[in-house]
Amino acid sequence: MDKTINNKAWFLVLPVFLIVAFSAVLPLMTVVNYSVQDTFGNNHFFWNGVGWFKELLDPSTDLGDRFLNSLGRNLLFSAIILAIEVPLGILVALSMPREGWRVAACLVILALPLLIPWNVVGTIWQIFGRPDIGLLGYTLNKLGFDYNYVSNSFDAWCTIIVMDVWHWTSLVALLCYAGLKSIPDAYYQAAQIDGASRWAVFTAIQLPKMNRVLLIAVLLRFMDSFMIYTEPFVVTGGGPGNSTTFVSIELVKIALGQFDLGKAAALSLVYNLIILIVCWVFYTVMTNADRERPQTTGGA
Amino acid sequence: MARIDLVDLAHSYGGGTYALKPMTMTWRQGGAYALLGPSGCGKTTLLNIISGIVTPSQGKVLFDGNDITHASTRERNIAQVFQFPVIYDTMTVGENLAFPLKNRGLPRDKIAARVGEIAKLLDLTPYLDRKAVRLSADAKQKISLGRGLVRPDVAAVLFDEPLTVIDPHLKWELRSKLKALHQALDLTMIYVTHDQTEALTFADTVVVMHDGAVVQSGTPEDLFARPAHTFVGYFIGSPGMNIVPAGVKGREAVVSGHVIGLNRSYDNLPAGGKIEIGVRPEFVHVADPAPGLLSAQIERIDDLGRVRFARVRIGDVKFAATVPNGVAVPEKTVGLVFDPAHIHVYSDSLLVEGRA
Amino acid sequence: MSITLDKVSRDVAGASWIRDVSLTLERGTLSVLLGPTLSGKTSIMRLLAGLDKPTSGRVLVDGKDVTGFDVRKRSVAMVYQQFINYPTLSVYENIASPLRVQGVARGEIESRVRDAARLLKLEPYLDRTPLQLSGGQQQRTAIARALVKRADLVLLDEPLANLDYKLREELRTELPRIFEESGAIFVYATTEPSEALLLGGRTICMSEGRALQVGETPLVYRRPETIEVAEVFSDPPLNTVGIEKKNGSIFYSGGERASVTGLYEGLSDGAYRVGFRAHQLEVANASPGRHAFVTKVSVTEITGSESFVHLTREGYNWVAVLPGIHEFLPGQELDAVLDPNDLFIFDQSGRLVAAPAAR
């Protein structure tokens, strides 16, 4: 629908502009500024051009090595949790009741993990996994597993993956449930009449109709997991060693730990760019999928 | 192919009100039936009971004598075409048609042969390799229908207002195709609709429903010429039958003080009943006012191209009458000519037989 | 108030939805937009209302250019195919809502709402919410809400399409009376030719975004300017056949040869397309003055008052309508006749060349 021009609306947006300018745009510009400069402290800055960016992408340098390794860890992490959360979320959505009071109960239970502040999630699992006072850690060790997320990097990875699955599968499940509910009953009746097996109903009716919802779920989960910071930081702090050091954690170490503002600024810009590109790819795929559908309107 | 019997069938969704009042009827094998009625009359409930989506709260449903009242939809081996096309998005047209046979485990060459047969019957052969999603609404409905027909032993094909989303021009094609299919395949077909043209053109037997009960069941000619209930007279025909209160004695009916002659004698009408006469607009003609004719005031003329209807008033009673071709309509007042052979007398909405 | 579309076109995402349409609608008139789905009816209505801006061309109200004016500045009311009412408000509140927005005095609101309710027979239902009403009543509420505004322009987009057949008939007989009493400009979109004929007024025949013909409804029906208009304005679909006039005879494609009589007399030699509606084709034996065809029945449809016979002949599919009940069997051969005084002749480009004389 074409909007007609009404310039007075801009005044309403002005306060928001100003706030965003101060809290986001100016700091962003500062970061860009830092990313092209170098400093030895004492507020002496000198021009470095694209130096930091070149270093970032060069695995032989320390910066590049750390960045590319942490990027690899991020990608591995995102791939694993997507591979677990999406099928699990679909399964949960399929198992949920469709009507009656049980629906409300299930929705509330599913929503609970999503409501918890992220650092609290991290803290819960940090304590939960401790071999001395944590229920999980203690039980696993009692059963004979040598579980210690502080010293063993495999255990650390398992812990943060399980934590993320616990935290976020509900989102995928809720989105898929919404998608499932929108399928008219007639499709299931037709499938019954056609003698379709449960699996055939899933592949021929439910999955195709959940397409768009699944795409959104995958996009959201990829973005969030790629940007993850709080939860793993609280649980493992990036350790043991740097086995769970993701890009965000690396970034904070460089910026606030080493106070290497130039390197950190460049890293954060590249990080931002990667996420933007991924979003753009998803968006294009989604809108292309929309255009493929035949147009149907109620009278044109 | 199945004969369907409904034995003392009724359904209530709870709360004491019947969505479907108790009924017993037989649907013969190979018949083309239409369930006709306004929204809420129970026709969709009845269809859902026959297809197995709803289990009736009382009574039995028999297919060829077997009690399938509690059998699942799949066990009944019926086909159903819904109001909007139901197709499997990820499959081509051919795969859609093959789906029911694949689920039964038929060998691939048999499936291909049967799909080819049905596609030819429905004019879908050129589209067999196209993705089903891309086709128009009427083609999709044909695919829905085809999936039902592809099983050679299907008991009955049920239609739930299938032409709702189809363009008017294409409705004609699909309708005559359905009729031709019925004649070619000798299947029991049950068609639910609120559109009387659809019902009357498709069915051999039309079952008119009103308020959960079957009001009349018969051929289109029967329903048109001898409605057993004033509702049938009103619902069938466009415009519907004129139904007006009258005083009937012997061979005369008195409407708003005017006398109309009848061709049967009605002597024993129940006292205290609501007496009405019904006559279709096709059997009432407009003419110049004359002393022997009932006079009426013209309200408007509806010109439909091939026929013209006059909306008139006799006193405070509204009538619709035909304007014969070539007749110029008088300005304000007209005379009405009735065809006594087509005037029916109703008492408490039910048809009364007169003596010749 | 009069509203004019001046050479209006509208393109959406590269596709042309409306092409070069010019129309003028006067106060107190009813115009029917007739055409198949996706022919541009809704787009035209949205342009008239100001919901969309044309890609080219102007929209004028009383001579003033209002192209691009926001719809809230225009005096418009619209009724949709899906009965759109405020679900939480009572029928009374629904009808009163546009008046409350306009800030009309309470006494005035009361009287106008009651008037509209009376006109649309909603008085017993004023306290109910729309979901407690039947489809027909919900649509009446929507129409009442559109009327009570006393807008200069009232648009109805296939308002009866979602209603039961009988309900549609009933509402349709009431609409002309309601329109006359109101005095605004009414624009009514529909896909059914019979609705256009019943409503009267003027008809704007649309196809593929173009306005094919505009005129008084009976005139457009009886004298379609092109074969496209005749096809849009026929239900059952228009029957056609090709002919060639040469050497003093008429040759129908398919082989029949007939003498040059009736409307064929005024034609110059050449090829033409003849169109005739279902009631112009008679199932009867050949008789002098009539052109006969041998056809085969494919299927007969009986409605009780009429019978529709589907015939095939040399690759043409025709439909004939006969009064009364006639059961013809598929495959049966039937003679069908045409009255050369009662058909439409179009030239090769589709323009009307001859039509039956007015009755």
Side-chain angles (χ1 to χ4, degrees), chain A residues 1-5 295 297-300, chain C residues 10 38 40-42 51 68 70 81 158:
Chain A
M1 189 168 112
D2 291 346
K3 297 260 195 267
T4 48
I5 313 292
Q295 296 293 354
T297 48
Chain C
R10 182 161 155 80
L38 298 181
K41 306 189 297 291
T42 304
L51 286 166
D70 186 48
Q81 195 175 344
E158 298 190 55

PDB file of all heavy atoms in Angstrom, chain A residues 1-5 295 297-300, chain C residues 10 38 40-42 51 68 70 81 158:
ATOM      1  N   MET A   1       0.835  -1.206   0.000  1.00  0.00           N
ATOM      2  CA  MET A   1       0.000   0.000   0.000  1.00  0.00           C
ATOM      3  C   MET A   1       0.862   1.245   0.000  1.00  0.00           C
ATOM      4  O   MET A   1       1.765   1.369   0.809  1.00  0.00           O
ATOM      5  CB  MET A   1      -0.846  -0.059   1.278  1.00  0.00           C
ATOM      6  CG  MET A   1      -1.923   0.976   1.346  1.00  0.00           C
ATOM      7  SD  MET A   1      -3.068   0.621   2.703  1.00  0.00           S
ATOM      8  CE  MET A   1      -2.731   1.946   3.791  1.00  0.00           C
ATOM      9  N   ASP A   2       0.621   2.148  -0.897  1.00  0.00           N
ATOM     10  CA  ASP A   2       1.419   3.382  -0.939  1.00  0.00           C
ATOM     11  C   ASP A   2       0.993   4.317   0.165  1.00  0.00           C
ATOM     12  O   ASP A   2      -0.182   4.629   0.304  1.00  0.00           O
ATOM     13  CB  ASP A   2       1.179   4.101  -2.277  1.00  0.00           C
ATOM     14  CG  ASP A   2       1.775   3.316  -3.420  1.00  0.00           C
ATOM     15  OD1 ASP A   2       2.572   2.404  -3.145  1.00  0.00           O
ATOM     16  OD2 ASP A   2       1.445   3.621  -4.567  1.00  0.00           O
ATOM     17  N   LYS A   3       1.940   4.778   0.933  1.00  0.00           N
ATOM     18  CA  LYS A   3       1.582   5.758   1.960  1.00  0.00           C
ATOM     19  C   LYS A   3       1.625   7.137   1.317  1.00  0.00           C
ATOM     20  O   LYS A   3       2.456   7.430   0.481  1.00  0.00           O
ATOM     21  CB  LYS A   3       2.603   5.700   3.099  1.00  0.00           C
ATOM     22  CG  LYS A   3       2.616   4.372   3.805  1.00  0.00           C
ATOM     23  CD  LYS A   3       1.833   4.457   5.085  1.00  0.00           C
ATOM     24  CE  LYS A   3       2.134   3.280   5.980  1.00  0.00           C
ATOM     25  NZ  LYS A   3       1.264   2.186   5.840  1.00  0.00           N
ATOM     26  N   THR A   4       0.724   7.967   1.723  1.00  0.00           N
ATOM     27  CA  THR A   4       0.780   9.340   1.209  1.00  0.00           C
ATOM     28  C   THR A   4       1.696  10.153   2.107  1.00  0.00           C
ATOM     29  O   THR A   4       1.891   9.839   3.275  1.00  0.00           O
ATOM     30  CB  THR A   4      -0.610   9.962   1.190  1.00  0.00           C
ATOM     31  OG1 THR A   4      -1.222   9.714   2.441  1.00  0.00           O
ATOM     32  CG2 THR A   4      -1.455   9.343   0.092  1.00  0.00           C
ATOM     33  N   ILE A   5       2.248  11.238   1.545  1.00  0.00           N
ATOM     34  CA  ILE A   5       3.290  11.980   2.252  1.00  0.00           C
ATOM     35  C   ILE A   5       2.697  12.805   3.378  1.00  0.00           C
ATOM     36  O   ILE A   5       1.749  13.546   3.189  1.00  0.00           O
ATOM     37  CB  ILE A   5       4.011  12.927   1.266  1.00  0.00           C
ATOM     38  CG1 ILE A   5       4.353  12.171   0.004  1.00  0.00           C
ATOM     39  CG2 ILE A   5       5.236  13.514   1.898  1.00  0.00           C
ATOM     40  CD1 ILE A   5       5.396  11.122   0.177  1.00  0.00           C
ATOM     41  N   GLN A 295      -0.110 -16.316  -6.628  1.00  0.00           N
ATOM     42  CA  GLN A 295      -0.848 -15.257  -5.970  1.00  0.00           C
ATOM     43  C   GLN A 295      -2.316 -15.622  -5.906  1.00  0.00           C
ATOM     44  O   GLN A 295      -2.909 -15.984  -6.894  1.00  0.00           O
ATOM     45  CB  GLN A 295      -0.704 -13.955  -6.773  1.00  0.00           C
ATOM     46  CG  GLN A 295       0.710 -13.436  -6.837  1.00  0.00           C
ATOM     47  CD  GLN A 295       1.201 -12.990  -5.482  1.00  0.00           C
ATOM     48  OE1 GLN A 295       0.484 -12.962  -4.513  1.00  0.00           O
ATOM     49  NE2 GLN A 295       2.476 -12.638  -5.430  1.00  0.00           N
ATOM     50  N   THR A 297      -5.812 -13.808  -4.363  1.00  0.00           N
ATOM     51  CA  THR A 297      -6.433 -12.747  -3.565  1.00  0.00           C
ATOM     52  C   THR A 297      -7.937 -12.945  -3.618  1.00  0.00           C
ATOM     53  O   THR A 297      -8.438 -13.634  -4.496  1.00  0.00           O
ATOM     54  CB  THR A 297      -6.116 -11.360  -4.142  1.00  0.00           C
ATOM     55  OG1 THR A 297      -6.359 -11.381  -5.538  1.00  0.00           O
ATOM     56  CG2 THR A 297      -4.681 -10.989  -3.870  1.00  0.00           C
ATOM     57  N   GLY A 298      -8.654 -12.331  -2.729  1.00  0.00           N
ATOM     58  CA  GLY A 298     -10.094 -12.538  -2.696  1.00  0.00           C
ATOM     59  C   GLY A 298     -10.828 -11.576  -3.596  1.00  0.00           C
ATOM     60  O   GLY A 298     -11.722 -10.880  -3.184  1.00  0.00           O
ATOM     61  N   GLY A 299     -10.458 -11.517  -4.824  1.00  0.00           N
ATOM     62  CA  GLY A 299     -11.159 -10.579  -5.717  1.00  0.00           C
ATOM     63  C   GLY A 299     -10.269  -9.395  -6.011  1.00  0.00           C
ATOM     64  O   GLY A 299      -9.923  -8.632  -5.138  1.00  0.00           O
ATOM     65  N   ALA A 300      -9.841  -9.249  -7.264  1.00  0.00           N
ATOM     66  CA  ALA A 300      -8.876  -8.173  -7.543  1.00  0.00           C
ATOM     67  C   ALA A 300      -9.331  -7.247  -8.646  1.00  0.00           C
ATOM     68  O   ALA A 300     -10.133  -7.587  -9.445  1.00  0.00           O
ATOM     69  CB  ALA A 300      -7.554  -8.772  -7.977  1.00  0.00           C
TER      70      ALA A 300
ATOM     71  N   ARG C  10      -1.960   1.432 -13.249  1.00  0.00           N
ATOM     72  CA  ARG C  10      -1.262   1.086 -12.023  1.00  0.00           C
ATOM     73  C   ARG C  10      -0.422  -0.151 -12.256  1.00  0.00           C
ATOM     74  O   ARG C  10      -0.922  -1.185 -12.690  1.00  0.00           O
ATOM     75  CB  ARG C  10      -2.271   0.827 -10.899  1.00  0.00           C
ATOM     76  CG  ARG C  10      -1.609   0.513  -9.595  1.00  0.00           C
ATOM     77  CD  ARG C  10      -2.562   0.705  -8.428  1.00  0.00           C
ATOM     78  NE  ARG C  10      -2.160  -0.108  -7.303  1.00  0.00           N
ATOM     79  CZ  ARG C  10      -1.187   0.197  -6.448  1.00  0.00           C
ATOM     80  NH1 ARG C  10      -0.522   1.317  -6.601  1.00  0.00           N
ATOM     81  NH2 ARG C  10      -0.865  -0.593  -5.462  1.00  0.00           N
ATOM     82  N   LEU C  38      -9.276 -11.309 -10.670  1.00  0.00           N
ATOM     83  CA  LEU C  38      -8.003 -10.753 -11.137  1.00  0.00           C
ATOM     84  C   LEU C  38      -8.154  -9.887 -12.379  1.00  0.00           C
ATOM     85  O   LEU C  38      -7.198  -9.689 -13.113  1.00  0.00           O
ATOM     86  CB  LEU C  38      -6.975 -11.865 -11.431  1.00  0.00           C
ATOM     87  CG  LEU C  38      -6.587 -12.723 -10.227  1.00  0.00           C
ATOM     88  CD1 LEU C  38      -5.548 -13.748 -10.650  1.00  0.00           C
ATOM     89  CD2 LEU C  38      -6.010 -11.866  -9.123  1.00  0.00           C
ATOM     90  N   GLY C  40      -9.069  -6.735 -12.170  1.00  0.00           N
ATOM     91  CA  GLY C  40      -8.747  -5.354 -11.799  1.00  0.00           C
ATOM     92  C   GLY C  40      -9.840  -4.655 -11.039  1.00  0.00           C
ATOM     93  O   GLY C  40      -9.727  -3.462 -10.756  1.00  0.00           O
ATOM     94  N   LYS C  41     -10.910  -5.372 -10.680  1.00  0.00           N
ATOM     95  CA  LYS C  41     -12.037  -4.701 -10.013  1.00  0.00           C
ATOM     96  C   LYS C  41     -11.614  -4.109  -8.677  1.00  0.00           C
ATOM     97  O   LYS C  41     -11.879  -2.931  -8.391  1.00  0.00           O
ATOM     98  CB  LYS C  41     -13.183  -5.691  -9.802  1.00  0.00           C
ATOM     99  CG  LYS C  41     -13.609  -6.393 -11.064  1.00  0.00           C
ATOM    100  CD  LYS C  41     -14.882  -7.190 -10.863  1.00  0.00           C
ATOM    101  CE  LYS C  41     -14.766  -8.305  -9.858  1.00  0.00           C
ATOM    102  NZ  LYS C  41     -13.918  -9.392 -10.315  1.00  0.00           N
ATOM    103  N   THR C  42     -10.944  -4.917  -7.853  1.00  0.00           N
ATOM    104  CA  THR C  42     -10.540  -4.403  -6.550  1.00  0.00           C
ATOM    105  C   THR C  42      -9.533  -3.276  -6.695  1.00  0.00           C
ATOM    106  O   THR C  42      -9.581  -2.289  -5.956  1.00  0.00           O
ATOM    107  CB  THR C  42      -9.947  -5.526  -5.691  1.00  0.00           C
ATOM    108  OG1 THR C  42     -10.875  -6.582  -5.584  1.00  0.00           O
ATOM    109  CG2 THR C  42      -9.600  -5.025  -4.308  1.00  0.00           C
ATOM    110  N   LEU C  51      -6.933   4.494  -1.545  1.00  0.00           N
ATOM    111  CA  LEU C  51      -6.054   3.597  -0.803  1.00  0.00           C
ATOM    112  C   LEU C  51      -4.769   3.352  -1.567  1.00  0.00           C
ATOM    113  O   LEU C  51      -3.741   3.031  -0.987  1.00  0.00           O
ATOM    114  CB  LEU C  51      -6.754   2.256  -0.560  1.00  0.00           C
ATOM    115  CG  LEU C  51      -7.846   2.255   0.500  1.00  0.00           C
ATOM    116  CD1 LEU C  51      -8.670   0.992   0.400  1.00  0.00           C
ATOM    117  CD2 LEU C  51      -7.245   2.379   1.872  1.00  0.00           C
ATOM    118  N   GLY C  68      -3.340  11.067  -4.890  1.00  0.00           N
ATOM    119  CA  GLY C  68      -2.360  11.122  -3.817  1.00  0.00           C
ATOM    120  C   GLY C  68      -2.926  11.617  -2.504  1.00  0.00           C
ATOM    121  O   GLY C  68      -2.250  11.591  -1.485  1.00  0.00           O
ATOM    122  N   ASP C  70      -4.770  11.380   0.890  1.00  0.00           N
ATOM    123  CA  ASP C  70      -4.975  10.275   1.804  1.00  0.00           C
ATOM    124  C   ASP C  70      -6.453   9.901   1.865  1.00  0.00           C
ATOM    125  O   ASP C  70      -7.327  10.752   1.801  1.00  0.00           O
ATOM    126  CB  ASP C  70      -4.495  10.702   3.176  1.00  0.00           C
ATOM    127  CG  ASP C  70      -4.537   9.553   4.137  1.00  0.00           C
ATOM    128  OD1 ASP C  70      -4.054   8.472   3.767  1.00  0.00           O
ATOM    129  OD2 ASP C  70      -5.084   9.720   5.229  1.00  0.00           O
ATOM    130  N   GLN C  81     -15.752  -8.473   0.913  1.00  0.00           N
ATOM    131  CA  GLN C  81     -16.318  -9.791   0.725  1.00  0.00           C
ATOM    132  C   GLN C  81     -16.377 -10.557   2.041  1.00  0.00           C
ATOM    133  O   GLN C  81     -17.325 -11.259   2.332  1.00  0.00           O
ATOM    134  CB  GLN C  81     -15.419 -10.541  -0.251  1.00  0.00           C
ATOM    135  CG  GLN C  81     -16.019 -11.754  -0.835  1.00  0.00           C
ATOM    136  CD  GLN C  81     -15.068 -12.323  -1.856  1.00  0.00           C
ATOM    137  OE1 GLN C  81     -14.151 -11.679  -2.309  1.00  0.00           O
ATOM    138  NE2 GLN C  81     -15.297 -13.551  -2.219  1.00  0.00           N
ATOM    139  N   GLU C 158     -17.609  -7.365  -4.094  1.00  0.00           N
ATOM    140  CA  GLU C 158     -18.222  -8.702  -4.066  1.00  0.00           C
ATOM    141  C   GLU C 158     -18.815  -9.001  -2.691  1.00  0.00           C
ATOM    142  O   GLU C 158     -18.524 -10.022  -2.082  1.00  0.00           O
ATOM    143  CB  GLU C 158     -17.189  -9.775  -4.424  1.00  0.00           C
ATOM    144  CG  GLU C 158     -16.639  -9.623  -5.817  1.00  0.00           C
ATOM    145  CD  GLU C 158     -15.814 -10.826  -6.236  1.00  0.00           C
ATOM    146  OE1 GLU C 158     -16.348 -11.941  -6.177  1.00  0.00           O
ATOM    147  OE2 GLU C 158     -14.652 -10.634  -6.603  1.00  0.00           O
TER     148      GLU C 158
END
